Amino acid sequence: MDLRIVKTKSLIKNAFLELRKKKPIEKITVKELCQNAQINKSTFYSHYNDIFDLSDTLENEVVDNILSNVQHPEYVLLKSDIFTKEIFREFMANEPYVSVLFAESRRDILVDKLKCKVKATIIKNQPQYKNNTSLDIILSYAINGGYHAFTDCQKENSKQVIEIVAKINRSINEIYEKLVSNNEI
């Protein structure tokens, strides 16, 4: 990629993150972002459709980074405790971006994107799960439930919260195995 494009995108990203720390995404304007990044509006629009497109791009980068460091996303079905510990380790490693990009009205978008990408990985390797309601329920419970329990309680003792959520998610595996053995999945 052209070095000028890399530099411009970096300016845009940094300006956006600084603005996003101070205000909700709905209150950020392209004009304001361009002033902070010291670029023209036409430059911004040559890379992004609008502020939400920029935010979506940055959110996807964070989600991809989180999942790239989770060795076995499919463990959500078989070894949820390991999956849970890995994904929370990555949440914390990406916390500066997670807390800024997924604040306020964007909070649930992180888990939705994670769930979709984990599901896509599972379906890629096991296509029989494509339209499987049980898989959707398990993913929703493990990822959404685990994330909200973690974010709601992490201030107390994040290590303890992760251990408890991991144990709860491990019990999901037992239910999953029973469903499989009873041919309910």
Side-chain angles (χ1 to χ4, degrees), residues 65-126:
N65 189 48
I66 288 171
L67 288 178
S68 72
N69 292 305
V70 173
Q71 292 182 356
H72 300 284
E74 71 277 6
Y75 278 10
V76 73
L77 295 174
L78 304 170
K79 299 176 183 176
S80 287
D81 50 336
I82 295 169
F83 170 82
T84 299
K85 290 175 184 178
E86 284 185 359
I87 204 147
F88 286 141
R89 181 192 67 228
E90 292 309 313
F91 282 153
M92 292 187 300
N94 287 274
E95 197 280 328
Y97 295 112
V98 169
S99 64
V100 172
L101 291 171
F102 297 100
E104 295 111 13
S105 64
R106 312 290 291 173
R107 182 177 183 212
D108 291 336
I109 290 172
L110 173 62
V111 289
D112 290 341
K113 288 181 182 227
L114 282 169
K115 186 172 58 177
C116 286
K117 290 190 181 217
V118 169
K119 183 177 179 179
T121 300
I122 291 169
I123 290 170
K124 180 180 165 190
N125 297 326
Q126 300 176 36

Side-chain angles (χ1 to χ4, degrees), residues 80-81 84-85 87-88 141-143 145-151 153 158-172:
S80 287
D81 50 336
T84 299
K85 290 175 184 178
I87 204 147
F88 286 141
Y141 193 86
I143 294 173
Y147 173 76
H148 289 291
F150 177 72
T151 56
C153 302
S158 59
K159 270 185 137 178
Q160 181 183 22
V161 172
I162 292 169
E163 286 299 321
I164 292 169
V165 171
K167 285 178 185 177
I168 291 168
N169 279 348
R170 180 69 187 143
S171 68
I172 291 171

